Amino acid sequence: MGQSKWNEEKIIQTLRDFPAIEDRQKKEELFAKIEKRIDSKKTKRMPFRIMPMLAAACVLFIAAIISPVVLQETVFKNPGSETGLKSSGSPSEPGNEPQNIQKSPEESIPPSSGSEEGVSLKVKPSAGSEIEPKAYESHNVTYHSGVVEVPQDKQVVTVYYTDSRAEGVVPVSYLADKELPKIEALQQAFQMINPDKLGVLETVFHEGDKVKVSDDLEKKMLIVDIKPGVIQGATGERMFMDTVNYTAFNLGYEKIVFKTSGEPGYDFPHFGPQDMVEIESPKGVSTLLTDNGTLLLVEGTKADGSIDGSTLEEIIRTIKIDTSRLGHEEAIQPSVFIKEVNKNEKAVSVVLVEGSRLENSIMYIAMIEAMLLTAGQFGFEYVQILGSDTKEVGPYNLAEPIPVLKAPNVISK
Amino acid sequence: MEHIFNRLYVDYHQSLFQFLVYMLRDRDTAEELVQDVYIKVINSYDKFKGDSSEKTWLFSIARNVAIDYMRKQKRQRKTVVGSFDLEERENQLIHPDKLPDEILEQNESFKQMYDALSQCKEDHRQLILLRYIHGFSIKESAAIMGWSEGKVKTVQHRTLKTLKTILDDSRKEEELSNGTV
């Protein structure tokens, strides 16, 4: 067999010499098509016959917006503020609806919503959501925000799914009753979470007829009993391992024991035989906008084993919120705003570039929660955001330290 | 509107179209999607802040348009992970791998490279296209991909290694099938 004729230099040179590919459409032809499509969109948007109806609808809508009742229903509650915490428990506690907060209409409007840019009520609780009021909707995108404080009678069950490209694992949290044993709480979470609706995928871990889970609380072990041959393909295997590993980590287990139909060990097609593995904590946070229009925080490494950054600062700076469906052409990235990230024993302070004006919209809520989740991964307890002109983003009061996220993407009451 | 289009067309169209063809591996789809890119650009031209170069901005939009299209394609073929290797299946299902005429007319090295690129992960392929076919710098590529510069360097290095492995493997297979080993 001869020597390889490919080396890095030749690969790069071949790529550089790749032939140009000409568009067969003529410039005028292309412009005519574009113009036609732009015009047709305009026509579709504003058909003359619906203008009077539209005008009436606008009047009603504006009237509704300025109604104090509506304002009360759409106000955000500040999880970090004393008022919020004292009045009705944590605002992040499901069941503590925003309307419980007695604020004046002026106070009710998030700072950016009263701006000249007309961005009022960009974020509103999703009326039809199963997890009201924790889901926010905008431009047909739903964001299930996290909680920074868990109600005393609840326990967090964070179950991991995969994204539709099987590149990363997505945590989805459910708040189960505290007295439920962990395994029962996990099974309840499996039942309550609808991955199809969120736009994420199950692995065989979630299929009760293929995988049975139990535990040994004394040894802090999650026991996963798998039917032979149900895990196939390198991707399927990796995704299975990641979803089990991170789910187990969040439930407080330290080891995973594998069994095959009750017998010790499982012979994974690629990883080989495994009896027991030590659980690893997820590092790295990114975001995902699913095909179903759900914006989710994603944790852990990606399919290629990479994460965006390895330090807290790198991860925070490289978080990207896909805003393609939110009317923004470019993704929102905290790095645009961040001047520096400082750490002390318990808290992370994120100093923004002077004059940064975060918006009160779901992508910025997601951005802040991604920071809170990252800080939590690194063992910090609070995040303080300094230097923002905007003082409230969603439920977060930026004037005060915000507790790290205890559960991301919460979908339960 | 026309003057914006004319200028962008003169400055970037060739490169933009080529990016879409190599990204989507289908000329017809690229012809369709390039219209979407211009529509988005024209509609949001006023909002362009100049934080990045115009070309970088344009390619970010093109990349997002192509990704949106591919997502829609995948959604139509959505299936459950675990029953097979999803990456493999996606490569078979989504990409028609019709070689553009311009590649067909070239020597074997280009065809092999085109095929090897098809086997890389989607975003890794995009990065290689940006870096070596379109000549974007590390910084510009990072802005288009929404990655850190460090990640661009890592992925670039890894993908070049992957390409070498794929190309070497395909050469070995070819030699075996030709009985030259």
Side-chain angles (χ1 to χ4, degrees):
Chain A
M1 205 178 294
Q3 281 268 309
S4 168
K5 68 171 185 173
W6 292 102
N7 54 38
E8 192 168 296
E9 201 178 316
K10 180 166 182 195
I11 289 171
I12 293 171
Q13 197 51 52
T14 308
L15 289 164
R16 285 189 175 141
D17 293 341
F18 249 46
I21 296 186
E22 301 281 342
D23 187 357
R24 293 172 299 206
Q25 303 174 94
K26 285 183 183 159
K27 188 174 116 183
E28 294 72 24
E29 192 187 325
L30 177 60
F31 181 69
K33 284 180 189 167
I34 291 166
E35 196 175 29
K36 194 175 165 192
R37 284 180 58 187
I38 290 176
D39 288 346
S40 104
K41 271 189 185 172
K42 279 180 189 163
T43 319
K44 271 185 202 163
R45 267 185 211 154
M46 290 286 175
F48 179 74
R49 64 186 177 279
I50 67 157
M51 286 301 285
M53 284 168 65
L54 196 62
C58 285
V59 170
L60 288 172
F61 181 69
I62 291 163
I65 284 174
I66 58 172
S67 151
V69 175
V70 172
L71 284 170
Q72 275 185 8
E73 283 176 358
T74 53
V75 70
F76 297 111
K77 194 175 174 187
N78 166 21
S81 74
E82 280 186 11
T83 318
L85 291 169
K86 281 178 186 168
S87 63
S88 53
S90 164
S92 295
E93 288 175 20
N96 291 328
E97 316 296 325
Q99 52 265 44
N100 290 346
I101 308 165
Q102 296 302 311
K103 284 185 177 180
S104 70
E106 289 77 12
E107 286 169 331
S108 302
I109 304 171
S112 65
S113 64
S115 77
E116 289 171 3
E117 291 156 25
V119 289
S120 63
L121 306 175
K122 270 190 176 175
V123 186
K124 60 182 179 184
S126 164
S129 167
E130 291 168 357
I131 58 159
E132 200 174 75
K134 298 309 296 175
Y136 298 113
E137 278 190 359
S138 176
H139 291 74
N140 294 322
V141 171
T142 306
Y143 178 63
H144 299 289
S145 68
V147 294
V148 296
E149 189 168 309
V150 182
Q152 283 184 348
D153 59 340
K154 297 285 182 188
Q155 61 176 312
V156 172
V157 183
T158 301
V159 180
Y160 286 75
Y161 294 83
T162 85
D163 63 48
S164 64
R165 297 171 73 178
E167 288 191 337
V169 285
V170 183
V172 181
S173 301
Y174 170 73
L175 299 182
D177 288 340
K178 197 170 188 175
E179 69 266 20
L180 272 182
K182 279 184 189 178
I183 295 298
E184 274 181 49
L186 178 65
Q187 280 158 349
Q188 193 175 73
F190 281 167
Q191 286 168 6
M192 297 302 290
I193 297 167
N194 183 344
D196 282 345
K197 200 168 177 182
L198 296 168
V200 294
L201 295 175
E202 291 180 332
T203 69
V204 289
F205 173 51
H206 308 92
E207 297 179 38
D209 58 333
K210 292 177 182 164
V211 172
K212 292 199 170 11
V213 286
S214 54
D215 63 2
D216 182 332
L217 288 174
E218 253 180 46
K219 294 178 180 167
K220 294 192 173 179
M221 293 191 309
L222 180 72
I223 301 157
V224 182
D225 193 343
I226 313 162
K227 276 194 174 177
V230 295
I231 301 168
Q232 289 177 18
T235 305
E237 194 174 286
R238 180 172 45 76
M239 289 291 109
F240 172 80
M241 288 299 243
D242 282 355
T243 51
V244 176
N245 181 83
Y246 295 149
T247 303
F249 172 81
N250 274 286
L251 286 168
Y253 298 106
E254 290 175 359
K255 288 173 184 165
I256 302 168
V257 172
F258 292 109
K259 288 187 175 182
T260 309
S261 300
E263 297 299 316
Y266 186 84
D267 194 2
F268 289 93
H270 293 265
F271 294 146
Q274 300 280 347
D275 290 330
M276 187 167 69
V277 293
E278 300 279 336
I279 292 172
E280 289 172 20
S281 63
K283 276 280 187 297
V285 175
S286 53
T287 65
L288 166 74
L289 182 57
T290 70
D291 293 335
N292 298 18
T294 311
L295 183 62
L296 294 158
L297 301 187
V298 179
E299 273 188 293
T301 54
K302 294 182 178 174
D304 58 5
S306 71
I307 54 174
D308 290 328
S310 54
T311 65
L312 172 83
E313 180 169 1
E314 278 175 348
I315 295 171
I316 286 180
R317 281 183 184 276
T318 49
I319 289 164
K320 189 177 81 168
I321 313 293
D322 183 351
T323 58
S324 52
R325 305 254 295 268
L326 291 159
H328 285 242
E329 294 296 351
E330 290 188 273
I332 298 294
Q333 287 179 265
S335 56
V336 174
F337 311 100
I338 293 173
K339 188 174 168 190
E340 57 189 40
V341 178
N342 300 316
K343 295 172 275 188
N344 65 29
E345 200 181 331
K346 287 185 176 176
V348 175
S349 65
V350 179
V351 185
L352 304 183
V353 174
E354 199 177 335
S356 293
R357 192 167 186 286
L358 308 185
E359 286 179 25
N360 192 8
S361 61
I362 63 174
M363 55 206 162
Y364 289 89
I365 299 175
M367 187 178 99
I368 286 171
E369 292 196 343
M371 291 182 190
L372 300 179
L373 187 59
T374 308
Q377 285 180 348
F378 282 82
F380 293 96
E381 293 177 15
Y382 294 93
V383 173
Q384 170 95 68
I385 295 172
L386 301 168
S388 166
D389 281 359
T390 311
K391 294 300 172 203
E392 283 183 29
V393 173
Y396 299 112
N397 179 358
L398 305 190
E400 296 176 9
I402 307 167
V404 296
L405 222 54
K406 304 297 184 298
N409 306 325
V410 178
I411 64 96
S412 61
K413 288 198 174 186
Chain B
M1 175 168 92
E2 192 168 1
H3 74 276
I4 297 173
F5 172 79
N6 282 337
R7 199 178 54 71
L8 294 173
Y9 188 95
V10 170
D11 290 347
Y12 311 116
H13 184 73
Q14 170 57 45
S15 186
L16 185 66
F17 181 72
Q18 186 167 327
F19 176 67
L20 288 171
V21 173
Y22 283 143
M23 196 167 155
L24 300 157
R25 285 175 280 165
D26 184 64
R27 182 194 284 272
D28 295 335
T29 310
E31 282 179 7
E32 191 72 24
L33 291 195
V34 79
Q35 296 173 32
D36 292 351
V37 175
Y38 282 116
I39 291 170
K40 278 183 181 279
V41 169
I42 289 167
N43 285 340
S44 54
Y45 198 77
D46 293 342
K47 294 179 205 156
F48 175 55
K49 298 171 211 145
D51 295 337
S52 58
S53 79
E54 193 175 61
K55 190 176 179 189
T56 306
W57 177 61
L58 193 67
F59 271 70
S60 304
I61 292 174
R63 179 174 174 263
N64 285 334
V65 165
I67 288 172
D68 272 354
Y69 171 82
M70 290 188 284
R71 276 185 190 154
K72 278 179 202 154
Q73 293 293 302
K74 278 179 192 163
R75 190 169 44 192
Q76 285 166 8
R77 299 170 173 108
K78 197 172 170 184
T79 185
V80 179
V81 178
S83 57
F84 55 79
D85 193 324
L86 190 69
E87 280 165 19
E88 237 169 67
R89 183 69 176 267
E90 278 178 354
N91 268 330
Q92 290 165 9
L93 286 172
I94 292 165
H95 308 298
D97 276 332
K98 274 192 296 187
L99 284 171
D101 296 341
E102 289 85 346
I103 297 278
L104 278 172
E105 287 160 10
Q106 300 292 324
N107 65 34
E108 203 53 36
S109 295
F110 288 99
K111 288 176 203 162
Q112 286 169 356
M113 182 63 76
Y114 185 82
D115 186 50
L117 272 175
S118 315
Q119 293 177 52
C120 292
K121 269 171 54 65
E122 193 62 59
D123 47 1
H124 293 193
R125 184 168 70 246
Q126 289 161 18
L127 177 66
I128 292 297
L129 294 177
L130 293 170
R131 289 283 293 123
Y132 299 117
I133 297 183
H134 298 283
F136 283 104
S137 66
I138 297 266
K139 193 178 176 185
E140 288 168 330
S141 304
I144 294 171
M145 301 293 292
W147 293 351
S148 65
E149 290 180 35
K151 186 176 176 186
V152 167
K153 287 177 196 166
T154 309
V155 173
Q156 173 184 303
H157 176 67
R158 194 176 293 155
T159 312
L160 288 172
K161 271 176 76 177
T162 307
L163 279 172
K164 184 176 182 315
T165 308
I166 295 169
L167 289 161
D168 285 345
D169 287 350
S170 75
R171 183 176 140 270
K172 282 175 199 161
E173 274 172 30
E174 203 179 313
E175 283 175 353
L176 281 171
S177 66
N178 292 338
T180 54
V181 179

